[in-house]
Amino acid sequence: MDNTYFIETWGCQMNDLDSQRLSGALKLRGYRRVEDEREAGLILLNTCSIREKSEHKVFSRLGELRELKRERGELQIGVCGCVAQQEGERIRERAPWVDFVMGPGNVGYLDEVLSGAKRVAVDFPEDRRYDFLALDRPSATKAQVTIMEGCNKNCTFCIVPTTRGREVSRPFDDVLAEVRASGRVEIELLGQTVNAYRCPVSGRDFGALLAAVAEIDGVARLRFMTSHPAEVNDSMIAAMRDHANISRYLHLPVQSGSSKILRRMKRLYTREKYVETIARIREAIPEIHFSTDVIVGFPGETEEDFEQSLSLVEEIRYGSMFAFKYSPRPGTPSLKLGPPVDDAIASARLTRLFELHERIKRERLESYRGRVLPVLVEGPSRNDPAMFAGRTDDNFVVNFVAGRPPMLGSMLGVRIDQAQHHTLRGEAVA
Ligand code: SAM
């Protein structure tokens, strides 16, 4: 039992990747992963603090683990991720049964943490010790590859600059080496502000990196997350336009449709500028689709401001949308901008926004009926073992039937015959 571990992950893709790094490092040290926490000698909670709700979940989970530790004694519990970074020593004060606390900057320092040399590791060491060969990737077809850590933007609502530190880009050649070594057909480049990437050695920008990754043999589909609207430039657009394997789908969080609120959020663009950026991208790549993040109930958001968010969602017709009620985060500048909008009003706005987007998404999914879409095969369907599953370029899951079992990671044409609530159904065509 001593050498077994269990990892639970909350939050964004960066956290998923940190868990893959932790899991890989543990396996390299002779540990074995278990899927039942009761069988584990080491439990890691990789936490998220982007909203208050996610943070509460961590403490209630720690309460449950206290019981487990009481029964078992020798169990080690570690809190990793953004709550670890944000709360540091306070976690062990509040939950003394936690053995160590390890922020995102210290994922490469597992030995020091496990040995007890660092019990509260919340600094950002110069050398992040990124061992990409030790990554434990859960998918045989897709590799997430971090190209930069941290964030230099100062959005007034956001805890990320505190929990993940200042922006640090990885050298260009290291990223290419990792993509090649991964052997995966689908690559997702990750960064909090991925398109602000700049190689620390050569100064090459995100567009240059995109083009170089897209040209690696075997890369059938290339995605990236999360782009900041103010960092979209010609080089990025040209790389997308010139490489058909770069997904025609761009996640471009807008946060609000009101220029007044965007200014209060310090998002560095106005509504007009954002719409112009979308138009520029659409002009170069007419078939592109967008997805977005929206916050409702930000301090000072009036009904009129909110209606501007609705009208923007209607105007851009996002394929996917993630929307959240504003959540005040410790130490963020928005705390000084006055109280959040009344909770009942914010909830009602969130519901209206989701209803609008549901209709837009439905129309998008319905428009695929009868069309043949390129689908990257991920394996058997989760709902029906007689079917297969894959994803469209704009990231919708397609469950489909096929005469012969298709090869994992291959790209197939699938004729869509049904649009379901969030997914599509179809049949592979020859
Ligand atoms: N770095 C990315 C960016 O700037 O767009 C994404 C960071 S975050 C993990 C994902 C989304 O969470 C954000 O785009 C935002 O919509 C939402 N979010 C961040 N802070 C929030 C807060 N304090 N309250 C509510 N939603 C928040």
Side-chain angles (χ1 to χ4, degrees):
M1 185 171 278
D2 269 348
N3 272 7
T4 46
Y5 68 98
F6 171 85
I7 303 190
E8 191 162 328
T9 312
W10 286 278
C12 65
Q13 281 87 348
M14 307 299 276
N15 257 19
D16 282 340
L17 193 64
D18 284 346
S19 287
Q20 294 171 30
R21 287 176 68 192
L22 289 166
S23 177
L26 285 166
K27 283 188 178 168
L28 211 63
R29 286 158 181 76
Y31 281 74
R32 184 170 58 84
R33 186 171 186 150
V34 292
E35 298 308 326
D36 181 346
E37 67 200 37
R38 285 164 306 182
E39 289 171 10
L42 167 67
I43 295 181
L44 298 179
L45 300 185
N46 196 1
T47 62
C48 170
S49 63
I50 200 79
R51 283 167 290 276
E52 201 178 3
K53 230 187 194 167
S54 4
E55 203 179 291
H56 284 327
K57 276 194 217 149
V58 175
F59 285 100
S60 77
R61 197 66 183 96
L62 282 176
E64 291 166 16
L65 294 183
R66 176 191 208 169
E67 295 310 308
L68 194 65
K69 189 155 177 164
R70 233 184 231 148
E71 287 163 24
R72 295 251 312 275
E74 87 278 30
L75 174 67
Q76 260 202 314
I77 299 174
V79 178
C80 315
C82 292
V83 175
Q85 189 65 36
Q86 184 188 297
E87 298 297 312
E89 188 63 53
R90 281 194 298 271
I91 295 185
R92 287 184 12 117
E93 285 161 18
R94 202 169 148 187
W97 58 96
V98 167
D99 295 277
F100 59 84
V101 175
M102 178 187 188
N106 273 275
V107 173
Y109 287 76
L110 190 64
D111 288 329
E112 288 78 351
V113 171
L114 288 179
S115 70
K118 269 183 160 186
R119 282 285 175 212
V120 179
V122 290
D123 54 330
F124 287 100
E126 240 346 70
D127 173 9
R128 300 278 175 101
R129 293 195 191 159
Y130 194 89
D131 181 5
F132 64 77
L133 292 175
L135 273 166
D136 184 17
R137 302 194 193 277
S139 160
T141 56
K142 176 174 170 175
Q144 293 173 308
V145 175
T146 192
I147 64 166
M148 52 145 32
E149 293 183 13
C151 185
N152 285 358
K153 298 281 179 289
N154 294 303
C155 302
T156 54
F157 53 81
C158 192
I159 193 85
V160 167
T162 314
T163 56
R164 290 193 169 262
R166 304 286 294 168
E167 231 169 68
V168 184
S169 290
R170 285 176 70 201
F172 204 89
D173 293 338
D174 284 11
V175 174
L176 299 191
E178 179 172 345
V179 170
R180 284 196 196 96
S182 80
R184 304 301 202 269
V185 291
E186 181 174 345
I187 301 295
E188 185 174 37
L189 304 179
L190 295 184
Q192 291 296 340
T193 315
V194 77
N195 54 340
Y197 173 86
R198 199 157 275 275
C199 172
V201 183
S202 62
R204 278 175 288 182
D205 72 356
F206 181 63
L209 183 69
L210 263 187
V213 174
E215 284 161 24
I216 291 177
D217 265 357
V219 174
R221 191 174 270 168
L222 174 57
R223 301 186 188 282
F224 48 93
M225 275 277 247
T226 299
S227 299
H228 191 288
E231 297 282 352
V232 171
N233 63 14
D234 289 344
S235 132
M236 166 182 168
I237 299 175
M240 293 178 74
R241 180 197 60 210
D242 297 342
H243 296 86
N245 57 348
I246 302 181
S247 191
R248 265 66 184 121
Y249 165 75
L250 183 60
H251 186 60
L252 205 58
V254 68
Q255 314 298 2
S256 169
S258 150
S259 294
K260 177 191 104 190
I261 297 297
L262 289 171
R263 195 170 55 247
R264 289 167 71 81
M265 289 177 165
K266 280 219 167 77
R267 283 294 285 177
L268 310 176
Y269 52 85
T270 58
R271 176 195 176 108
E272 293 69 31
K273 184 80 194 140
Y274 180 89
V275 171
E276 198 185 296
T277 302
I278 295 261
R280 238 168 90 212
I281 304 171
R282 278 196 171 137
E283 195 185 345
I285 312 158
E287 68 281 20
I288 196 149
H289 296 309
F290 294 92
S291 65
T292 203
D293 294 343
V294 181
I295 295 178
V296 302
F298 190 76
E301 184 190 70
T302 60
E303 173 63 21
E304 199 179 36
D305 293 317
F306 170 66
E307 280 172 11
Q308 290 186 38
S309 293
L310 290 178
S311 71
L312 188 85
V313 168
E314 182 86 61
E315 182 176 341
I316 308 294
R317 301 190 67 76
Y318 297 104
S320 304
M321 180 194 76
F322 305 88
F324 315 96
K325 259 194 290 186
Y326 165 72
S327 170
R329 304 286 55 224
T332 54
S334 60
L335 298 181
K336 299 203 179 85
L337 295 176
V341 167
D342 173 83
D343 193 58
I345 296 178
S347 297
R349 287 182 185 167
L350 195 62
T351 306
R352 280 163 70 197
L353 187 60
F354 279 130
E355 278 169 3
L356 167 68
H357 183 257
E358 265 309 299
R359 173 174 60 71
I360 294 169
K361 190 170 87 182
R362 222 17 298 114
E363 287 167 9
R364 143 87 34 89
L365 289 172
E366 283 295 336
S367 77
Y368 287 149
R369 210 193 274 262
R371 281 176 56 189
V372 175
L373 300 180
V375 168
L376 201 146
V377 181
E378 290 183 351
S381 160
R382 262 201 254 161
N383 311 332
D384 179 350
M387 295 181 83
F388 301 93
R391 276 174 198 270
T392 60
D393 192 40
D394 53 350
N395 221 7
F396 286 115
V397 170
V398 183
N399 294 301
F400 61 95
V401 287
R404 260 186 302 153
M407 239 173 66
L408 209 68
S410 59
M411 193 78 85
L412 272 187
V414 174
R415 186 181 313 282
I416 304 301
D417 53 36
Q418 253 184 62
Q420 291 172 323
H421 200 55
H422 297 289
T423 58
L424 297 162
R425 251 179 93 109
E427 183 177 357
V429 296

